[in-house]
Amino acid sequence: MDRAVWIILNKDFSLTLDGEIKNEKLTDKKFSPGEDIWTEELPRLGFSNEEIQKDYDDFIGDIITLFTEPLVDKVFINAKIGEESEYVNGKSPLLIRKIEEYSVDEIIE
């Protein structure tokens, strides 16, 4: 099983994405806002500052929009480690950076 890790970020926030690459599709997506917190859904964080909350909600909305693009799997899968792709169809540009590729079988052995 092949997996990879990406960072999705804008000027204010970042999320880590770990996903399985299977049949040219990105599946079994896990998201982390940091630390050792992982979820299968985009994390909905709450902030006491309304402006920060709006900016974070816009960030999550931009990621949701990104994942509705027809070629989104290819953008993630075909990226080279360290390479950045920019997605500009949201409220703020998103950068997508592949940081690691690994095989679960290699780790188990």
Side-chain angles (χ1 to χ4, degrees):
M1 175 186 333
D2 292 323
R3 299 187 69 88
V5 179
W6 300 264
I7 300 291
I8 304 170
L9 59 145
N10 71 5
K11 61 183 176 62
D12 297 312
F13 302 100
S14 69
L15 282 178
T16 303
L17 167 63
D18 180 297
E20 179 181 1
I21 300 167
K22 185 176 183 180
N23 300 325
E24 299 296 316
K25 296 278 186 194
L26 182 58
T27 63
D28 187 34
K29 295 184 278 283
K30 307 278 193 264
F31 298 93
S32 175
E35 302 294 323
D36 256 349
I37 301 168
W38 291 92
T39 178
E40 292 180 0
E41 299 175 1
L42 287 167
R44 296 291 182 170
L45 302 179
F47 298 92
S48 57
N49 181 303
E50 289 181 27
E51 187 174 318
I52 293 173
Q53 185 68 56
K54 181 189 175 314
D55 290 345
Y56 182 76
D57 292 343
D58 288 346
F59 173 63
I60 294 299
D62 290 344
I63 293 172
I64 291 169
T65 302
L66 167 67
F67 279 106
T68 63
E69 295 286 340
L71 299 176
V72 70
D73 290 331
K74 289 187 185 299
V75 170
F76 282 92
I77 294 168
N78 293 338
K80 305 288 185 235
I81 292 177
E83 180 178 280
E84 289 185 349
S85 299
E86 188 174 34
Y87 177 73
V88 295
N89 288 344
K91 292 186 177 188
S92 291
L94 295 175
L95 287 178
I96 303 151
R97 182 183 308 132
K98 189 179 220 177
I99 59 171
E100 181 181 10
E101 295 175 336
Y102 65 97
S103 173
V104 174
D105 296 334
E106 291 174 10
I107 294 171
I108 293 172
E109 293 175 5

